[in-house]
């Protein structure tokens, strides 16, 4: 790793498109485990007024209530 620089110098290098990788400590970067994308079923109880509101919004977008909640 090269000598430390100020945040202003780092910003200037970044803004001008210069290579900033020598100033980044790559040893602190870790690998995240892959996300589990399999669907999980959950049950949620909503008051009637929320269900009505969800239905209105879903109809406005032309999608199902479930699709709206997923978004």
């Amino acid at each position: 790793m090269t000598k430390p620089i100020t945040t202003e110098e780092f910003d200037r290098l970044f803004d001008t498109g210069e290579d900033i990788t020598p100033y980044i400590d790559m040893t602190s970067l870790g690998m995240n485990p892959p996300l589990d994308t399999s669907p999980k079923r959950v049950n949620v109880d909503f008051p009637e007024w929320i269900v009505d509101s969800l239905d209105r919004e879903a109809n406005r977008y032309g999608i199902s209530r479930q699709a709206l909640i997923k978004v």
Side-chain angles (χ1 to χ4, degrees), residues 7-27:
T7 55
E8 290 81 12
E9 291 171 309
F10 185 89
D11 289 344
R12 183 188 55 73
L13 291 172
F14 180 84
D15 290 341
T16 58
E18 296 184 49
D19 183 15
I20 57 170
T21 56
Y23 305 102
I24 300 174
D25 179 9
M26 299 293 191
T27 62

Side-chain angles (χ1 to χ4, degrees), residues 37-67:
T37 58
S38 59
K40 303 283 188 253
R41 181 172 297 276
V42 294
N43 295 315
V44 181
D45 294 326
F46 291 120
E48 188 174 345
W49 68 269
I50 291 180
V51 174
D52 292 341
S53 178
L54 287 168
D55 288 342
R56 278 193 306 276
E57 286 300 303
N59 286 333
R60 194 171 83 141
Y61 290 105
I63 60 176
S64 68
R65 182 191 309 150
Q66 181 177 353

